[in-house]
Amino acid sequence: MRALLVEDNIALATKIRAALLEARFVVDQASDGEEALFLGENEPYDVVVLDLGLPRLDGLSVLRRWRAAGRSMPVLVLTARGAWTEKVEGLNAGADDYMAKPFATGELVARMQALIRRARGVTRPEISLGQGGEVTLDTVAATVSLNGTSVRLTGLEFRLLTYMAQCGARPISKTELTEHLYDQDFDRDSNTIEVVIGRIRRKLGSGIIETERGLGYRIALPAGKASPAP
C-alpha cells in the first residue's frame, strides 16, 4: 500500500512515517502544499494523510484542487484539537476522515487501513485467497497463513499480495503493481514484479496468482466469491 504523508512538522512526520513503515506501507512525503498538490495529482496513492496547516499552499486548497481534478484517493486530514470548523471544512472539501492532534499513531494507521478497505469494497481485514480459500491474509496483523500454517513473506511480497487481494478478481498490469509498490524515488523495474510473484507462488502455491496474457496478473479467489472491488 502506497501512502502520501503531508506534514511540515518534522518530528511528527518522522513519527508517522516510522509507524507506517512498520505497518508495511510505502511512504512518500511532502512538507508543503505545492509539493503535495503535485504528488497527489501525478502519483497513484492508496491513501493520503494531509495536514491542513501547510506552508506555500494550505491543506484545504490542496484537497479541493485534488477533488476538482478528479483525484479520488482516500484522504485523512489532520486538524488542531478543538478546531471543529477545520473538521467540517475538511469533510466538505472531500476528506474521508479526520484526526485531531495530538493522536496515537496506532489509531492513525488503523484508520488509514480502514479507509483503503472501504475504498475497495473490502469489509473485513481478513481475506481468504486461493480456489479453496486455503490462504488467509490478515491486512491488519500483517500475517499470511497457508492451510492454517503461518507463512513468512517479505515486505514487498506482502504489499503485492495485499494490493492484489484488495483489488479482487480483476487483472492487474505490471505497471499498476509497480506504481503502487514503490515510492517515487525507487528505480522502478517492472521485471522485478515477475520475480516477486514467482517467490509468492513458491511460498503459497503456483495457483495463488494467475497470469492473464496481455493483461497482467489476477489473484485467485475462492470458488463463487465475488470480487470485493470493481
Side-chain angles (χ1 to χ4, degrees):
M1 296 170 286
R2 188 177 177 193
L4 173 60
L5 169 58
V6 186
E7 172 60 64
D8 63 323
N9 182 305
I10 297 176
L12 180 57
T14 300
K15 184 178 180 180
I16 296 173
R17 178 182 176 86
L20 291 176
L21 292 176
E22 185 176 356
R24 300 197 178 188
F25 279 83
V26 173
V27 184
D28 289 339
Q29 285 184 243
S31 57
D32 65 71
E34 289 186 0
E35 183 182 13
L37 178 65
F38 175 82
L39 290 174
E41 287 181 339
N42 292 280
E43 297 290 340
Y45 294 108
D46 298 304
V47 66
V48 177
V49 178
L50 176 66
D51 184 30
L52 297 185
L54 297 171
R56 303 182 71 178
L57 185 65
D58 67 272
L60 279 176
S61 296
V62 171
L63 181 54
R64 290 191 180 104
R65 289 170 67 171
W66 280 343
R67 297 314 193 209
R71 304 299 287 170
S72 59
M73 64 280 193
V75 175
L76 186 155
V77 298
L78 302 180
T79 70
R81 179 172 293 278
W84 65 269
T85 54
E86 284 191 347
K87 300 170 187 177
V88 172
E89 287 181 317
L91 293 171
N92 287 340
D96 300 276
D97 199 358
Y98 69 85
M99 291 191 72
K101 301 177 182 178
F103 51 81
T105 54
E107 181 182 356
L108 175 69
V109 172
R111 289 194 182 205
M112 292 172 67
Q113 292 170 328
L115 286 176
I116 293 173
R117 292 197 303 271
R118 191 181 310 152
R120 295 177 182 164
V122 179
T123 58
R124 300 182 59 190
E126 288 190 356
I127 305 173
S128 296
L129 305 173
Q131 291 295 325
E134 63 273 16
V135 174
T136 301
L137 169 67
D138 190 324
T139 59
V140 171
T143 59
V144 178
S145 62
L146 173 62
N147 294 319
T149 301
S150 178
V151 177
R152 186 177 182 83
L153 298 185
T154 67
L156 185 55
E157 292 164 359
F158 182 83
R159 288 196 299 273
L160 187 148
L161 188 67
T162 299
Y163 183 76
M164 293 194 70
Q166 292 183 333
C167 287
R170 70 174 177 87
I172 306 172
S173 68
K174 288 196 294 184
T175 298
E176 180 179 344
L177 286 171
T178 301
E179 289 177 340
H180 284 267
L181 294 178
Y182 302 111
D183 61 42
Q184 61 176 331
D185 297 324
F186 190 87
D187 184 12
R188 301 172 184 176
D189 180 0
S190 62
N191 291 327
T192 304
I193 298 298
E194 297 177 1
V195 175
V196 177
I197 287 177
R199 296 202 308 251
I200 293 174
R201 284 169 169 166
R202 286 193 292 274
K203 293 179 179 181
L204 299 177
S206 59
I208 192 67
I209 297 177
E210 304 165 352
T211 300
E212 293 285 323
R213 291 193 178 276
L215 297 175
Y217 301 96
R218 185 194 305 271
I219 198 75
L221 295 175
K225 182 175 180 180
S227 169

